[in-house]
Amino acid sequence: MRAPQKDRLLLLLGVLVLAGCGGKQDTLHPASKQEHAISELWWVMLTGAAIGFGVVVFLLLLGWLRRNRPNLPFGLGERAAAGVVVGMGVAVPIVVLSLLFVWSDVYVIKTTEPPRASSTSLTVEVIGHQWFWEIRYPDAGAVTANELHIPVHTRVNVVGTTADVIHSFWVPELNRKIDLIPGRKNRVLLDADRTGTFLGQCAEFCGLQHAHMAVLVFVQTKRAFRAWLANMARPARPPTTPEERQGLRVFLDAACSGCHQIRGTDAHGQVGPDLTHLATRTSLAAGAIPEEDLGRWIRDPQHFKPGNKMPSLPLPESDFRALDAYLESLK
């Protein structure tokens, strides 16, 4: 093989090996009882598939030996060979597939079935948009975006729907995925058994920026979660400096207030994410950029996420600085 062809082959093999290694999502490191069941099913199915593959390879090898080495001392007679084929080619697959069916139906499906509201301690509403996640805590009156906070060792009923096209909510380390369908509500149980940050993703193609529609799930201690939720339920604090007050005026006078809501102000837009506590988030644009790039984002959002519904505004640089200062104060 010539060197360029060999290099291309090695590059292709590397891409195939590393194709599933990006990001932080990992279905084989579960952080909940439900995902443990899904992970165990995967290992059981892998074992069953390995047994089936081994049977096929054995039968192929046996057929090759009988055809090409008929005089080998360990050759089988016609009746014995037929018994092996029937036993390993029919009986073993039936037994393996039946066991896999029972395992998946009785154990996994019953473990991951949608929760009843009466069996959970907290309900969270997740609404998919092109291309961000609206997250509501109806009992507390709190609203945020793209970052879902839940307490550890708590059964959380996530109710999912969509404001536009079909989306799919999936946090691989916590549970199965659910489709978010217009006019319908689907549910999934999140019951994390350890604290940490877990990356979720829209798993249904929903348009140009589908790949940039991530959600972060923060599993916190119960005390930390209560403090976070209490802060999220409050209206935005009033601006305290002249620059922040100018930034609020810019926000209300420009197109910002027509698309975004800031509770405690006259901004009641419903097109984009709620910004009441924007500065508490770790990222912007559903994980597309870090929060510290807020100034660059409001100046040219189409550069970072082409096709999103936020326009570039022709504002003076002083207004951009004031708007940035005000938004950074929303904690």
Side-chain angles (χ1 to χ4, degrees):
M1 182 181 293
R2 289 180 297 177
Q5 293 178 333
K6 184 177 180 181
D7 292 341
R8 284 196 292 269
L9 179 60
L10 291 174
L11 178 62
L12 177 60
L13 291 174
V15 169
L16 292 174
V17 169
L18 297 175
C21 297
K24 301 177 182 178
Q25 296 174 327
D26 191 346
T27 57
L28 299 183
H29 286 80
S32 70
K33 177 183 177 181
Q34 294 71 34
E35 190 58 35
H36 273 287
I38 295 173
S39 178
E40 287 177 10
L41 175 64
W42 187 89
W43 286 111
V44 170
M45 291 184 68
L46 177 64
T47 302
I51 292 173
F53 180 74
V55 168
V56 171
V57 170
F58 175 78
L59 292 175
L60 289 173
L61 179 61
L62 182 62
W64 183 85
L65 288 174
R66 282 181 53 78
R67 181 173 180 175
N68 295 280
R69 300 290 190 271
N71 297 321
L72 288 178
F74 54 84
L76 297 174
E78 294 294 333
R79 185 170 297 178
V84 170
V85 171
V86 171
M88 301 191 68
V90 179
V92 170
I94 289 176
V95 171
V96 171
L97 292 175
S98 297
L99 291 174
L100 288 176
F101 174 79
V102 172
W103 178 275
S104 62
D105 183 61
V106 175
Y107 182 65
V108 176
I109 292 180
K110 293 187 182 304
T111 302
T112 60
E113 64 184 2
R116 295 184 179 90
S118 60
S119 70
T120 56
S121 303
L122 175 67
T123 295
V124 180
E125 297 174 354
V126 174
I127 305 168
H129 296 257
Q130 290 178 306
W131 292 274
F132 70 94
W133 302 96
E134 180 183 353
I135 300 170
R136 294 180 171 272
Y137 296 78
D139 293 338
V143 184
T144 186
N146 303 320
E147 296 185 357
L148 171 61
H149 290 243
I150 61 174
V152 70
H153 300 304
T154 302
R155 291 171 60 84
V156 179
N157 177 28
V158 175
V159 181
T161 186
T162 174
D164 38 56
V165 302
I166 297 176
H167 300 278
S168 187
F169 177 81
W170 186 35
V171 186
E173 291 165 288
L174 296 179
N175 207 336
R176 60 184 176 83
K177 66 182 71 172
I178 56 169
D179 287 336
L180 309 184
I181 302 170
R184 181 185 177 92
K185 292 183 178 180
N186 285 335
R187 292 171 171 78
V188 67
L189 176 67
L190 298 186
D191 186 6
D193 55 24
R194 69 173 187 266
T195 59
T197 304
F198 304 98
L199 177 63
Q201 179 69 37
C202 178
E204 180 75 26
F205 180 73
C206 56
L208 178 65
Q209 291 296 331
H210 163 69
H212 293 150
M213 191 172 170
V215 59
L216 287 175
V217 178
F218 294 89
V219 181
Q220 303 171 288
T221 64
K222 294 180 179 180
R223 181 177 180 180
F225 171 75
R226 286 194 298 268
W228 175 86
L229 187 61
N231 183 58
M232 288 298 108
R234 299 187 186 102
R237 73 171 183 82
T240 56
T241 68
E243 189 174 39
E244 290 175 7
R245 286 191 285 270
Q246 179 189 352
L248 175 58
R249 287 194 296 270
V250 172
F251 189 92
L252 295 176
D253 293 341
C256 309
S257 60
C259 293
H260 296 281
Q261 179 180 27
I262 298 179
R263 285 174 283 123
T265 74
D266 292 331
H268 303 293
Q270 299 296 320
V271 178
D274 184 295
L275 304 182
T276 304
H277 298 285
L278 172 65
T280 64
R281 300 172 196 166
T282 61
S283 64
L284 299 171
I289 57 176
E291 194 277 334
E292 53 262 31
D293 283 338
L294 175 61
R296 298 170 62 199
W297 167 259
I298 61 178
R299 284 168 174 79
D300 190 6
Q302 295 300 317
H303 171 76
F304 295 98
K305 203 168 183 177
N308 80 87
K309 297 178 181 178
M310 183 170 171
S312 298
L313 300 177
L315 297 176
E317 181 59 29
S318 59
D319 284 353
F320 273 125
R321 288 196 298 270
L323 183 59
D324 187 14
Y326 172 64
L327 294 176
E328 288 286 4
S329 73
L330 298 177
K331 297 183 179 179

